[in-house]
Amino acid sequence: MAQHHDHGHGHDHDHHEEHEQLKVLGFWIFVVTDCVLFGTLFATYAVMMNSFAGGPTGQELFQLPGVIASTFILLTSSFTSGLAVLAMNKGNVKQLIAWLAVTGLLGLSFVVLEVTEFMHLISEGATMGTSGYWSAFYTLVGTHGLHVTLGLFWMTALIFQLKRRGITAVTRRKITNLSLYWHFLDVVWIFLFTVVYLMGVM
Amino acid sequence: MWENIKDFASTFFVTGDPLIYGADVSIVLSIIAIVFVLTKYKKWGWLWREWLTTVDHKRIGIMYLIASLLMLFRGGVDALLMRLQLAFPNVEFLNSEHYNAIFTTHGTIMILFMAMPMMFALFNMVVPLQLGARDVAYPFLNALSFWLFMLGAMLFNISFVIGGSPDAGWLSYPPLSQNEFSPGPGQNFYIWGIQISGIGSLATGINFIVTILKMRAPGMKLSKMPLFSWSVLSSCIMIIFAFPILTVTLALLFLDRFAGAHFFTMDGGGNPMMYLNLIWMWGHPEVYIVVVPAFGIFSEIVATFSRKKIFGYKSMVWAMMIIAVVSFFTWAHHFFTMGTSASVIAFFAISTMIVGIPTGVKVFNWLFTMYRGRISFKQPMLWTIAFIPCFVIGGATGVMLAVAPADYQYHNSYFLVAHFHQVLIGGVVFGYLAGIYYWWPKLFGFKLDEKLGKWGFWFWNIGFYVCFMPQYALGFMGMTRRYYTYGWDRGWADLNLVSTVGAFLMGIGFIFQVWQIAYSIKNGERDTTGDPWNGRTLEWSIPSPAPFYNFAVVPQVKEMDDWWATKEAKANGTYKEEPAKLEPIHMPKNSGIPFIMANFWFLVGFGFTFGWVWMAVIGFIGVFACMWARSFQYDTDYYVPVEEVRRTEASLGRVV
Ligand code: HEM
Ligand SMILES: [Cu+2]
């Protein structure tokens, strides 16, 4: 570590900035791969759209009010994650952490609502094994939910790190990536809501 | 109780087959030998510090290389077993189930656990050096990719002795791969082995795209970038679009098997045809993913060994990029015969033939580069020259297969088997071998022996034609793929025997190569110059073996083939020596997390393979713990002081 400080600080700083930017680019590419992943799941869902095999249909079982509530919750959380980034740009750690916490709580309620919905559907007799349609439904919606859950873990880890280290080049990059991820999940959800739920009840 | 244990053991450990007993014994013996040697020479610490935790791309490359050569051996033994079985009619050496297992593991291992890692070995060994970079963009992720590949490959390989091998073909079409027809754990080994290593491959794709886009030495515009790096970029672009599809496909197949889902089942609204579409949307680009880097290798070698600039640089780049795009629009040529409309078939037939055009362009460029060059026939060049006719024939038979009406005749016949081996061996294997011979001195500091290498070369080449040419004929004579035995009355006996002889000739070629490596470690010509082939690109400007930080001073690039231009300028006396200023070098620290995390992934895979959810849960918790731990690590790099750089360079015979 001693050496670390002996050699020109300016240099050190440049290197870090460069490396952090590199990681943001990599994260963008990761998001592209995630788009392909969701694209494949959407395509699968489209193929299975009418494969009810005599079982219940989405139209019969979906309860839109709950889904609309989760949509609002997720959209709001996207907004609050934007506020977190604004706070970061102003250099206000406390605000940043607070907005992250709000985002996390909203995300958590989204996940809870989703789990409740799944339990309701299962109690109505629509499980993964009911038909191709429900297999595709749970996989597509569940993968999104899993992504959100992962995001929550990540957010928690970052809150700890912000408390300990404040806003540095590294935490800044991590927050940037996290908010990118979060907005991305929001976009995916909008597609999901349209294709699965709205078209499902139509 | 005792009965239960015995029961469990007899299903868990595959027994009753002499081949498997042999494998058991050799696995146990080699583990004992490794543990013994490491303990005796007190090498555990060394192994951990220098290899298991390394983030140096060159070492990771070496580990990929060793793993892929081992897998080439395993896949090759599978191939020889199959060819033995088919050498004569009515042979009862392997029964039908065993034959199924062997062609499945052979195909899977050769493509996913031999070709892919050998390709990643070359990426890692070469790309940063060629770009004038100190490392890849994400060294930690790079190590993680390697260990995910490694543990995935191990998971797949132990299926042979634990639980049973998969036997539904290398692409595992349902319904054959569903519980109903593949009830044991074999298919789960397939799913998880590929899934885990596939995540690693995807990460490698991202890593090298960023490396190539962002880590080039100052002055190296994309239009001056060496062609191998271009080919890697093209291949990685295909990886990031193709591998997520594979991830999803395998996950869906797993859900069918594990959770009773109905994606690809015959009942419950499932659709097996959907699997074919999905798997080939990955599978077709996959074959281009492995072959395009070979094109890059040939371009480097042809230019170096003809002492000429590559002919048609721009058209080469365009050709590779066009292949990267068009390869995604050809997948349905794998099931022309399975019933779709004529217009769909026409679309895919034409798109398939279009891929042939850029490939043809490349072949002509290589030929023009050689034309009037001062060619030297060292090993890398030999393999390159052997590749050209082989790939041209393979390409021509490919176009024959793309003619949809004709495909009704060739589909799943030995004609197809001959075709794809011709492009996979003649293109991919020959290409990677050429690359390994070419860059070997840079990594290890010595050349591989020419004489032994030439023996290996001729055995491979003659063996290749002896093995696969008869198979084209067998295809026309009605022999379809995946036959495990046939009768005298078919009239296939002579050609099959010839084909088997050819396969063994290739096996002998491989033995020569192993011998060659062992021999050259002691006696190979040492490379003291750093530039044994009189190369053109930046990797030849530094000492061999390359020091861990690659470049003591980051090069300033002015020309395409910058190192060649520098050498010419030096010879003409027009070279302006710029005073080299050493600065402390920023390097990543080693980390044990990639290795540990991959082991937890192994637990996940193994748990799901046997339906032991508790074990999978432990695995997932471990994976998360590793990610969490990594996220909290901030002190991940350090500086190499100028003094150390100076000392290292001096020890390699350089003054800076
Ligand atoms: C080294 C010499 C090789 C020999 C003698 C050989 C031989 C064979 C044989 C006998 C089969 C089974 C054909 C059948 O019964 O359907 C086969 C299948 C296959 N081989 Fe090879 N092979 C060799 C190398 C390779 C390489 C280098 C690759 C890929 C990079 C490869 C990829 C495959 C694939 C994908 C299959 C299809 C497996 C399936 O049907 O599921 N082989 N090979
Ligand atoms: Cu194809």
Side-chain angles (χ1 to χ4, degrees):
Chain A
M1 251 355 257
Q3 253 134 25
H4 199 117
H5 290 285
D6 286 352
H7 300 289
H9 256 101
H11 206 74
D12 198 79
H13 190 71
D14 284 353
H15 263 298
H16 265 294
E17 286 291 319
E18 235 171 73
H19 273 258
E20 300 313 320
Q21 288 197 351
L22 219 60
K23 287 186 176 157
V24 176
L25 175 63
F27 199 77
W28 271 100
I29 301 180
F30 161 76
V31 169
V32 170
T33 65
D34 231 21
C35 282
V36 179
L37 186 129
F38 276 109
T40 313
L41 288 174
F42 271 108
T44 310
Y45 180 84
V47 172
M48 300 268 113
M49 198 109 101
N50 295 312
S51 303
F52 297 108
T57 67
Q59 195 171 16
E60 290 161 28
L61 299 190
F62 287 148
Q63 295 180 324
L64 269 197
V67 184
I68 291 173
S70 2
T71 307
F72 272 112
I73 290 174
L74 201 65
L75 289 183
T76 316
S77 81
S78 213
F79 179 66
T80 54
S81 83
L83 292 179
V85 173
L86 282 184
M88 175 176 81
N89 290 341
K90 276 190 298 187
N92 190 335
V93 194
K94 281 224 177 88
Q95 244 183 45
L96 166 56
I97 292 179
W99 282 123
L100 278 186
V102 174
T103 311
L105 285 177
L106 289 170
L108 188 65
S109 8
F110 174 85
V111 174
V112 170
L113 275 179
E114 184 156 291
V115 173
T116 330
E117 189 209 4
F118 280 11
M119 289 195 330
H120 165 76
L121 291 172
I122 290 170
S123 72
E124 296 280 325
T127 66
M128 192 88 167
T130 303
S131 66
Y133 174 80
W134 289 106
S135 306
F137 168 84
Y138 284 112
T139 310
L140 175 58
V141 182
T143 305
H144 176 268
L146 222 58
H147 272 73
V148 175
T149 315
L150 267 178
L152 292 179
F153 276 109
W154 191 10
M155 216 172 275
T156 318
L158 285 194
I159 289 178
F160 281 122
Q161 290 169 38
L162 283 170
K163 278 207 170 125
R164 198 176 315 166
R165 299 177 186 268
I167 300 171
T168 68
V170 179
T171 48
R172 184 182 289 276
R173 178 258 304 168
K174 289 185 176 179
I175 299 288
T176 312
N177 283 349
L178 176 69
S179 77
L180 169 60
Y181 181 76
W182 206 253
H183 292 314
F184 165 70
L185 290 184
D186 215 30
V187 175
V188 173
W189 177 258
I190 291 172
F191 275 99
L192 245 163
F193 178 69
T194 321
V195 173
V196 177
Y197 292 102
L198 285 186
M199 284 163 69
V201 294
M202 253 161 30
Chain B
M1 180 66 194
W2 180 237
E3 275 306 305
N4 280 345
I5 294 177
K6 244 170 71 183
D7 247 23
F8 171 75
S10 68
T11 48
F12 188 72
F13 296 106
V14 182
T15 50
D17 184 315
L19 284 171
I20 291 173
Y21 284 129
D24 283 339
V25 172
S26 58
I27 289 173
V28 172
L29 284 184
S30 26
I31 291 178
I32 292 175
I34 292 170
V35 171
F36 178 77
V37 169
L38 285 173
T39 313
K40 174 138 191 257
Y41 295 99
K42 300 203 170 54
K43 287 288 188 193
W44 287 104
W46 166 82
L47 183 69
W48 176 257
R49 279 190 309 275
E50 305 283 322
W51 296 96
L52 301 187
T53 61
T54 188
V55 291
D56 179 349
H57 65 94
K58 298 177 287 299
R59 292 199 168 196
I60 292 173
I62 291 171
M63 292 193 287
Y64 269 124
L65 183 61
I66 295 172
S68 64
L69 288 173
L70 285 174
M71 288 294 111
L72 179 59
F73 176 74
R74 153 100 209 246
V77 171
D78 281 346
L80 294 184
L81 291 177
M82 286 188 289
R83 280 315 320 169
L84 267 181
Q85 167 71 20
L86 294 173
F88 299 99
N90 304 325
V91 174
E92 283 171 27
F93 166 57
L94 304 174
N95 61 30
S96 61
E97 280 107 55
H98 202 163
Y99 190 86
N100 291 351
I102 290 187
F103 73 62
T104 303
T105 50
H106 163 77
T108 313
I109 285 180
M110 281 299 195
I111 296 201
L112 285 150
F113 302 126
M114 186 285 283
M116 289 296 275
M118 209 182 265
M119 173 176 90
F120 291 149
L122 287 158
F123 285 13
N124 273 291
M125 288 159 69
V126 182
V127 170
L129 298 180
Q130 203 165 51
L131 299 178
R134 292 244 160 84
D135 210 326
V136 296
Y138 316 118
F140 175 90
L141 187 67
N142 199 22
L144 182 60
S145 293
F146 170 75
W147 288 111
L148 287 176
F149 147 70
M150 192 65 193
L151 272 297
M154 289 299 108
L155 184 63
F156 184 85
N157 271 279
I158 57 168
S159 66
F160 186 48
V161 290
I162 296 180
S165 297
D167 55 4
W170 82 282
L171 287 179
S172 279
Y173 287 178
L176 205 55
S177 54
Q178 298 280 11
N179 278 337
E180 213 182 333
F181 300 103
S182 296
Q187 205 51 45
N188 301 338
F189 273 120
Y190 171 95
I191 291 173
W192 283 97
I194 297 180
Q195 190 69 297
I196 291 170
S197 71
I199 299 169
S201 306
L202 187 57
T204 303
I206 298 177
N207 210 338
F208 277 85
I209 291 182
V210 180
T211 304
I212 291 170
L213 292 182
K214 288 287 171 186
M215 307 274 286
R216 277 167 290 132
M220 185 186 281
K221 297 202 200 99
L222 275 177
S223 58
K224 288 178 182 157
M225 189 165 76
L227 281 171
F228 178 65
S229 294
W230 266 112
S231 72
V232 175
L233 182 61
S234 161
S235 170
C236 287
I237 291 174
M238 289 188 270
I239 288 178
I240 66 163
F241 286 102
F243 270 76
I245 306 180
L246 176 68
T247 307
V248 171
T249 313
L250 292 173
L252 301 186
L253 184 62
F254 179 68
L255 286 174
D256 270 8
R257 292 176 56 86
F258 181 76
H262 288 288
F263 289 105
F264 311 125
T265 53
M266 305 294 278
D267 59 347
N271 184 352
M273 240 4 247
M274 190 167 73
Y275 184 88
L276 262 71
N277 276 296
L278 286 173
I279 198 80
W280 280 113
M281 268 185 232
W282 159 77
H284 191 81
E286 167 65 13
V287 300
Y288 288 94
I289 287 169
V290 291
V291 84
V292 165
F295 295 164
I297 294 168
F298 295 131
S299 305
E300 300 292 335
I301 291 175
V302 164
T304 300
F305 288 85
S306 310
R307 307 266 170 280
K308 276 174 69 182
K309 208 165 113 181
I310 192 80
F311 184 90
Y313 175 86
K314 273 205 185 127
S315 60
M316 288 291 212
V317 171
W318 276 110
M320 290 192 285
M321 290 300 147
I322 289 170
I323 290 175
V325 176
V326 180
S327 68
F328 280 90
F329 297 97
T330 61
W331 79 86
H333 63 210
H334 293 274
F335 38 89
F336 279 153
T337 58
M338 299 190 199
T340 31
S341 67
S343 49
V344 170
I345 289 182
F347 173 84
F348 284 100
I350 292 167
S351 62
T352 304
M353 293 180 213
I354 286 176
V355 183
I357 298 170
T359 315
V361 168
K362 302 179 72 70
V363 171
F364 280 108
N365 282 341
W366 291 317
L367 292 176
F368 282 128
T369 309
M370 284 188 242
Y371 179 69
R372 292 214 169 145
R374 278 173 289 137
I375 302 178
S376 76
F377 292 94
K378 291 288 184 340
Q379 290 170 89
M381 191 62 179
L382 276 184
W383 289 94
T384 304
I385 291 177
F387 146 82
I388 291 178
C390 201
F391 203 77
V392 169
I393 302 173
T397 54
V399 174
M400 286 168 76
L401 286 161
V403 178
D407 190 52
Y408 277 81
Q409 179 64 32
Y410 314 133
H411 185 70
N412 273 358
S413 72
Y414 256 75
F415 185 90
L416 168 84
V417 175
H419 154 72
F420 72 69
H421 282 93
Q422 183 133 32
V423 282
L424 282 170
I425 296 183
V428 177
V429 178
F430 284 16
Y432 293 178
L433 287 175
I436 290 167
Y437 283 114
Y438 183 54
W439 281 297
W440 185 279
K442 184 47 61 194
L443 267 271
F444 298 98
F446 61 89
K447 284 189 188 176
L448 287 170
D449 186 69
E450 283 286 327
K451 205 161 149 217
L452 287 172
K454 280 191 181 149
W455 280 98
F457 172 82
W458 286 109
F459 270 105
W460 264 101
N461 266 275
I462 296 172
F464 174 82
Y465 288 96
V466 175
C467 181
F468 291 104
M469 292 303 125
Q471 294 185 6
Y472 283 118
L474 283 168
F476 285 129
M477 289 158 73
M479 180 159 164
T480 53
R481 80 197 275 205
R482 297 174 179 171
Y483 255 87
Y484 91 103
T485 193
Y486 52 92
W488 284 104
D489 53 333
R490 301 291 193 127
W492 299 338
D494 312 346
L495 287 174
N496 268 306
L497 181 60
V498 173
S499 178
T500 301
V501 170
F504 276 85
L505 292 179
M506 280 188 273
I508 296 173
F510 182 72
I511 292 174
F512 268 106
Q513 291 177 307
V514 175
W515 179 11
Q516 177 192 25
I517 294 178
Y519 176 86
S520 310
I521 290 176
K522 257 190 104 172
N523 306 313
E525 186 191 328
R526 304 290 129 168
D527 170 26
T528 49
T529 60
D531 187 11
W533 314 112
N534 198 2
R536 310 177 68 83
T537 40
L538 286 179
E539 69 268 31
W540 306 110
S541 68
I542 54 172
S544 310
F548 66 96
Y549 47 74
N550 298 352
F551 293 85
V553 182
V554 174
Q556 284 286 337
V557 176
K558 295 186 195 69
E559 311 272 334
M560 194 183 125
D561 292 352
D562 196 70
W563 176 236
W564 183 261
T566 307
K567 285 191 286 188
E568 277 193 328
K570 276 183 180 158
N572 301 338
T574 54
Y575 182 69
K576 276 204 294 298
E577 189 85 48
E578 307 214 346
K581 191 171 155 295
L582 285 189
E583 285 181 348
I585 295 175
H586 190 221
M587 295 297 289
K589 277 187 186 164
N590 284 1
S591 170
I593 294 180
F595 178 72
I596 297 170
M597 187 158 144
N599 275 285
F600 278 117
W601 271 110
F602 183 91
L603 271 192
V604 171
F606 197 80
F608 276 133
T609 296
F610 286 92
W612 301 335
V613 176
W614 56 271
M615 188 189 261
V617 169
I618 295 178
F620 273 126
I621 292 174
V623 170
F624 273 113
C626 287
M627 291 210 260
W628 188 273
R630 175 65 185 177
S631 179
F632 279 81
Q633 266 179 0
Y634 275 68
D635 180 21
T636 54
D637 35 26
Y638 71 107
Y639 278 85
V640 186
V642 171
E643 250 333 286
E644 191 184 333
V645 178
R646 190 164 284 135
R647 238 181 303 123
T648 313
E649 292 288 307
S651 76
L652 295 167
R654 300 274 169 125
V655 206
V656 277

